[in-house]
Amino acid sequence: MKYICFGYYQPAKHAQMTEDQRNAMFDECFDYDDHLRAHGHFSSGEALQPQETALTLYWKNGKVATTDGPYAETKEQLGGILVLEARDMNHATQLMAQHPALKYGSIFEIRPVADLNAMMKASEQRRRKLPAR
């Protein structure tokens, strides 16, 4: 089963680290990612650019509006996602509990991937009945 692991970090905490400390942290984290990959648990993952590069879209007064940056203002920022293969939530928790980023103050939120196949199939059947655009 797939699990999405959202990795949060505190930019202020990272800013206080020396370059050597940051490099050591990244080396440990990438080494553990390689371990997950070698054992078939790392499906994919991506780091995110800083929050200043974010754009949030939402619906307001009947149209799409945008705001620079993330929607929520918090100390922690979403730093990336990891798609994990695990037997169940306990297994996913065990795997992520060993991730070195936790020692450096990062937080992981783990969620099972939703299976939307039945919903997508039903939608496809409904859309087939509609006139072509």
Side-chain angles (χ1 to χ4, degrees), residues 2-9 44-48 76-84 89 92 96 99 101-102 105-114:
K2 282 189 177 18
Y3 292 85
I4 305 294
C5 304
F6 299 95
Y8 295 89
Y9 75 104
S44 64
E46 296 293 338
L48 299 174
E76 295 84 15
Q77 296 299 321
L78 181 60
I81 62 168
L82 186 154
V83 181
L84 190 69
M89 181 60 92
M96 293 310 294
H99 203 289
L102 292 170
S106 291
I107 298 168
F108 286 106
E109 176 184 339
I110 304 170
R111 293 193 202 179
V113 170

Side-chain angles (χ1 to χ4, degrees), residues 27-91:
D27 291 350
E28 282 184 69
C29 292
F30 294 147
D31 188 51
Y32 188 67
D33 291 346
D34 288 343
H35 170 80
L36 291 172
R37 201 174 281 109
H39 291 87
H41 299 299
F42 191 107
S43 286
S44 64
E46 296 293 338
L48 299 174
Q49 291 188 17
Q51 64 179 0
E52 298 82 30
T53 65
L55 182 70
T56 299
L57 282 72
Y58 55 96
W59 195 255
K60 183 175 181 180
N61 299 325
K63 62 181 181 177
V64 174
T66 62
T67 299
D68 289 339
Y71 182 73
E73 301 252 348
T74 64
K75 288 191 309 188
E76 295 84 15
Q77 296 299 321
L78 181 60
I81 62 168
L82 186 154
V83 181
L84 190 69
E85 286 283 349
R87 292 184 302 275
D88 54 32
M89 181 60 92
N90 286 333
H91 187 217

Side-chain angles (χ1 to χ4, degrees), residues 11-29:
K13 197 172 201 172
H14 277 240
Q16 293 173 348
M17 297 170 77
T18 67
E19 184 177 355
D20 287 343
Q21 289 170 323
R22 274 193 302 276
N23 287 340
M25 177 193 65
F26 287 130
D27 291 350
E28 282 184 69
C29 292

